[in-house]
Amino acid sequence: MSDVLELVEARLRTALGEPDARAAVTFLGTDRIEVLRFVDGDVLRYATLGMSAQPMADPTAVVADPLRGPRAELLLSVRAGRADTDKVLRPLAVLAASPQVEGVVVASGASLDVGDPLWPGAPFTSVLVGAPGGLVEDLELDEPRESVRFLPLLPMTPNEAAWKRVHGAEALQARWLERGTDLRDPLRTGVALD
């Protein structure tokens, strides 16, 4: 387990540089989740470390396979200086612990909701899980373990989340693209959905 996390942290450092801050959160009955913060110009990048220690298991499986199954870490990028986004550490840790706590498999296209604003004054309580392979390349592990995927999180307003449930993740992402939505703006308003 710790060897996987060491490799994951090395991959994050290679892709994003040295973290300038880190925090750890432990929930009852789960492994420790860390959140690392990286500064890239005017963008803050938050990355979880700990979610990939164990593979995500199918919630219907009788026994979880300790080696096989998808592994992932979460990435969130926001513009610095517009909001107190460092308060996102606990919500990110909650999302990263959800496979252990709730038995969910986090994958591209999924919606994750924390029920409260992601940070003070945020118009978002949920995120859309984006496709891996962009900012941080997948980390190959020795067989039979699956690669660790680094999944970007795209904050959604409640209206966007509701619209996504009806029309799907691809339709919402296309709408964001059509309207030139700055998904890194921590205070952005929801995209027009008419």
Side-chain angles (χ1 to χ4, degrees):
M1 176 176 90
S2 64
D3 64 323
V4 171
L5 296 184
E6 288 172 13
L7 293 170
V8 167
E9 185 168 356
R11 175 58 53 94
L12 288 169
R13 287 172 184 267
T14 299
L16 304 175
E18 287 299 312
D20 78 324
R22 68 192 307 147
V25 179
T26 304
F27 302 101
L28 187 62
T30 66
D31 295 327
R32 177 173 128 146
I33 303 287
E34 288 189 84
V35 179
L36 311 181
R37 184 181 72 185
F38 301 86
V39 178
D40 182 9
D42 70 337
V43 175
L44 297 176
R45 301 192 194 280
Y46 299 92
T48 63
L49 180 63
M51 182 177 173
S52 62
Q54 303 294 332
M56 292 180 272
D58 179 344
T60 62
V62 177
V63 177
D65 189 318
L67 295 176
R68 292 175 181 81
R71 294 175 191 256
E73 294 291 353
L74 307 175
L75 298 168
L76 175 70
S77 298
V78 293
R79 297 216 180 280
R82 301 213 51 214
D84 187 9
T85 56
D86 281 348
K87 297 285 196 272
V88 77
L89 302 178
R90 185 167 178 76
L92 271 181
V94 166
L95 296 176
S98 62
Q100 290 181 57
V101 174
E102 299 172 25
V104 297
V105 176
V106 177
S108 180
S111 298
L112 302 173
D113 196 321
V114 294
D116 290 310
L118 294 176
W119 50 82
F124 321 105
T125 62
S126 63
V127 293
L128 174 65
V129 180
L135 192 59
V136 181
E137 290 182 27
D138 293 352
L139 173 64
E140 300 284 332
L141 298 175
D142 293 335
E143 291 288 339
R145 299 183 295 184
E146 292 184 29
S147 299
V148 176
R149 303 201 183 292
F150 297 88
L151 302 170
L153 300 180
L154 310 170
M156 294 187 292
T157 66
N159 285 344
E160 290 169 339
W163 197 84
K164 182 257 176 193
R165 281 192 293 278
V166 174
H167 299 281
E170 287 182 19
L172 178 58
Q173 289 178 303
R175 181 62 56 100
W176 282 335
L177 191 58
E178 288 167 10
R179 304 293 164 98
T181 307
D182 181 2
L183 297 174
R184 294 179 180 168
D185 182 350
L187 298 175
R188 75 171 178 85
T189 57
V191 70
L193 299 170
D194 49 4

